[in-house]
Amino acid sequence: MIVARDLRKSFAGKEVLRGLNLRAQRGAITLLVGANGAGKSTTMKILAGLVKADRGSAHVNRIDIAHDRLAALRSLSYLPQSPSFHARLTGGELLRFYGQLRGVAPSRPGAMLELAGVQDVERVRTAALSGGMRQRLGLALLLLPDAPVLLLDEPGLSLDPRWRKRLQEILQSEAERGKTVLVTTHLIAEWNGVADHCLLCREGRIECELHPNDLPHDFEELERFAPREGDRENVAAV
Amino acid sequence: MSLRSDMHVSRAVFRRELRSVVINRYFQVFSALALLGGVAALLFAEDANATGFFILQVALYFVSLFSLLAGVSSAQGEREEWPLLLSQPLRRRTFVICKFFALFSIFGSVLLLLFVPAFFAGATLASLALLFSQTLLLAAAFVALGLACGFLARDRAQALITAVSAWLLMLVGIDLVALFAARWPVLQRVPEIWTACLMLNPLDAFRIEALFALQQIPAEAAGTTPLAAWWIAHAALWFGFIALVWAGALTHFASARLKQWEG
């Protein structure tokens, strides 16, 4: 489970998060949607221990990330927006490194490469990989530690439609196994009926919860979306 | 974090760094130069003392420069991977320290390419062992400087410019400034200032120590001031101390910089 309370963060005097509250349930996929600069990626980075919040608290699996960063990070796995890797290492070397770092069984890296359909990159240097292959290698790395909390920042942007669908299936099966999955995305319509919750982030806050089976068809529609008073009260309760 | 967990994290980072260094071009060029230097010392040095001087020059210019570049490359090479890397349960300080030790170990191994042929050129084992350990310490200080510049800078170009500028400053800059400033009568009365500047610079400390050791100059010959006399009498000890201080302080600085990184 992920719980963020009153998160505030400014960069160079510009307030990016203005008291963001968020809760992502165990065994569910929660989407975080919103325009550029709404604070989605900053929220993800705070949860992944990459950025420190100016105020507020973030708990991952009941562990406060500000107080015990390493313990919190052990229970999560994060896939950044455009995953980049050491250019001279091969896919296999990279997976083995992260596997050793997370203490996983030696057979798991190979299995994850297969799951993400990138077993061919085992001996290929990551500099030679396309954007889509890099994303899939990132997916293999995300699933490698079998962490109870999965954070994905704009996954699937470089993936073809078939692999975007496959990504959703994988995340659904991970959620069914009891994991907490939090995803930020711009490709809202594709998640219609896939996610369990969808939170609309605007100006550094969660403005309302959208119905996961009735998501806006495109980004313009999302921008025009005006929450009703009840929706706001629900978020206040979160 | 448990000790066991810390150990396997350190082992993973250490192995990755070894692999990255082996395929690093700076390191490959340095290995070739070290081998060429070793063979050249074997073939062309006229006596054991000349071999020592030859190695001293290689160490002074190439070891310091390439260990610096390897440090910069190691810090900057995976910068784009930091969001993924630093979201792992890994202490940032452990990451930097493992990088340092991996680079240090591999430089130590490659330096054998330079020193082993020199042994067959007739240099004594004791003098070579001393020079080898001092060259290793020099490499440690410059690997740490490279890491500090790499983690300090925003990109690879800025890191390289900062690192090479620092190297030039230490190689010739401080000496030139001292030379010009020595003409100023006020400063001529306090020669300890210049001695201290040279003592604090690991390249000068290495140069002075190695030259005095190779030439077998008695300490009294250079003892124009009490500080200079003390330095020359304890040159090897002082160089070891100052190289370790630089290596430790710069590694600490590099890990502090990485700890501040947000992105």
Side-chain angles (χ1 to χ4, degrees):
Chain A
M1 182 192 271
I2 300 168
V3 180
R5 285 196 193 96
D6 194 28
L7 283 184
R8 287 168 195 273
K9 180 70 187 176
S10 299
F11 291 108
K14 187 175 181 293
E15 216 176 359
V16 178
L17 296 184
R18 302 168 184 207
L20 182 138
N21 292 296
L22 175 149
R23 183 184 287 261
Q25 302 287 351
R26 200 172 160 265
I29 299 178
T30 304
L31 287 187
L32 191 56
V33 297
N36 288 336
K40 307 183 301 290
S41 290
T42 305
T43 306
M44 289 300 232
K45 285 173 183 172
I46 289 173
L47 294 171
L50 295 172
V51 167
K52 282 184 188 137
D54 297 336
R55 266 185 59 191
S57 66
H59 288 76
V60 174
N61 241 14
R62 297 172 192 270
I63 305 164
D64 187 339
I65 194 137
H67 287 142
D68 196 349
R69 187 178 154 272
L70 289 182
L73 293 183
R74 267 198 292 275
S75 60
L76 69 83
S77 189
Y78 167 66
L79 179 62
Q81 208 169 82
S82 337
S84 291
F85 315 108
H86 195 303
R88 287 166 168 258
L89 297 181
T90 66
E93 285 169 343
L94 205 71
L95 243 75
R96 278 191 292 278
F97 163 69
Y98 282 99
Q100 286 164 3
L101 208 60
R102 303 295 291 248
V104 305
S107 60
R108 195 160 166 86
M112 291 303 107
L113 282 174
E114 209 165 309
L115 182 70
V118 281
Q119 53 274 51
D120 297 344
V121 310
E122 163 94 39
R123 289 168 192 274
V124 180
R125 285 191 179 176
T126 61
L129 299 179
S130 66
M133 292 299 267
R134 230 173 265 195
Q135 281 264 352
R136 279 154 64 183
L137 184 59
L139 177 64
L141 287 169
L142 175 87
L143 301 172
L144 184 69
D146 201 18
V149 175
L150 302 178
L151 305 175
L152 297 91
D153 196 0
E154 303 284 359
L157 284 181
S158 315
L159 294 178
D160 60 39
R162 191 171 65 92
W163 267 98
R164 289 211 291 270
K165 187 78 196 144
R166 179 85 186 105
L167 169 73
Q168 291 177 344
E169 287 166 4
I170 291 171
L171 293 181
Q172 276 180 317
S173 103
E174 292 295 310
E176 278 163 18
R177 288 176 57 214
K179 294 192 179 180
T180 308
V181 183
L182 181 64
V183 182
T184 71
T185 187
H186 279 128
L187 308 166
I188 316 155
E190 290 188 4
W191 291 84
N192 217 337
V194 177
D196 301 284
H197 302 279
C198 181
L199 304 171
L200 175 60
C201 184
R202 270 184 187 156
E203 295 175 359
R205 289 189 194 95
I206 301 297
E207 194 168 79
C208 64
E209 183 166 353
L210 306 173
H211 197 287
N213 295 329
D214 188 20
L215 295 175
H217 290 96
D218 53 36
F219 203 69
E220 282 71 33
E221 196 184 326
L222 178 75
E223 284 290 274
R224 288 195 303 271
F225 184 84
R228 292 162 306 200
E229 209 45 50
D231 295 331
R232 285 210 173 97
E233 279 164 14
N234 283 340
V235 174
V238 167
Chain B
M1 191 188 252
S2 71
L3 186 65
R4 196 177 157 193
S5 172
D6 247 347
M7 282 299 286
H8 78 70
V9 165
S10 304
R11 213 167 28 230
V13 176
F14 191 84
R15 276 189 200 155
R16 172 181 158 121
E17 201 57 32
L18 284 184
R19 174 76 187 126
S20 314
V21 172
V22 169
I23 55 177
N24 179 293
R25 284 204 192 92
Y26 293 131
F27 174 75
Q28 289 167 352
V29 172
F30 175 70
S31 303
L33 284 172
L35 185 62
L36 280 175
V39 172
L42 179 64
L43 296 179
F44 304 117
E46 288 158 1
D47 55 40
N49 213 24
T51 306
F53 277 108
F54 188 84
I55 289 177
L56 170 65
Q57 298 308 319
V58 174
L60 197 59
Y61 296 102
F62 293 134
V63 173
S64 59
L65 181 62
F66 279 92
S67 49
L68 178 79
L69 295 176
V72 170
S73 184
S74 170
Q76 284 288 327
E78 60 207 358
R79 194 182 178 97
E80 298 197 335
E81 198 184 323
W82 286 357
L84 192 63
L85 203 51
L86 301 180
S87 65
Q88 305 299 319
L90 156 75
R91 282 179 222 272
R92 296 185 185 189
R93 181 182 294 169
T94 307
F95 182 61
V96 175
I97 290 173
C98 288
K99 267 183 178 294
F100 170 79
F101 278 109
L103 288 169
F104 178 67
S105 319
I106 206 150
F107 261 87
S109 316
V110 173
L111 279 176
L112 291 173
L113 294 174
L114 177 66
F115 280 83
V116 170
F119 177 68
F120 295 103
T124 64
L125 188 61
S127 66
L128 275 181
L130 182 67
L131 195 54
F132 179 73
S133 60
Q134 286 163 345
T135 309
L136 261 183
L137 287 169
L138 188 71
F142 279 85
V143 160
L145 180 62
L147 287 173
C149 292
F151 286 118
L152 177 71
R154 280 190 297 272
D155 55 49
R156 185 181 282 261
Q158 195 187 46
L160 282 172
I161 291 168
T162 311
V164 173
S165 305
W167 180 70
L168 284 172
L169 182 74
M170 290 161 83
L171 189 70
V172 290
I174 292 174
D175 299 2
L176 284 178
V177 170
L179 203 63
F180 284 112
R183 294 176 181 178
W184 197 19
V186 178
L187 291 177
Q188 280 172 355
R189 277 182 243 133
V190 243
E192 281 82 3
I193 291 177
W194 313 119
T195 312
C197 283
L198 296 177
M199 284 174 80
L200 292 172
N201 177 0
L203 269 181
D204 280 324
F206 173 76
R207 192 161 22 200
I208 295 290
E209 199 289 316
L211 281 173
F212 271 73
L214 285 170
Q215 295 270 39
Q216 296 172 337
I217 299 171
E220 304 79 45
T224 52
T225 66
L227 184 61
W230 182 89
W231 179 20
I232 301 306
H234 304 89
L237 197 65
W238 175 256
F239 171 68
F241 171 73
I242 202 72
L244 287 175
V245 167
W246 273 73
L250 289 166
T251 308
H252 177 72
F253 175 77
S255 55
R257 281 294 301 176
L258 188 62
K259 268 177 118 172
Q260 284 170 6
W261 181 83
E262 287 193 333

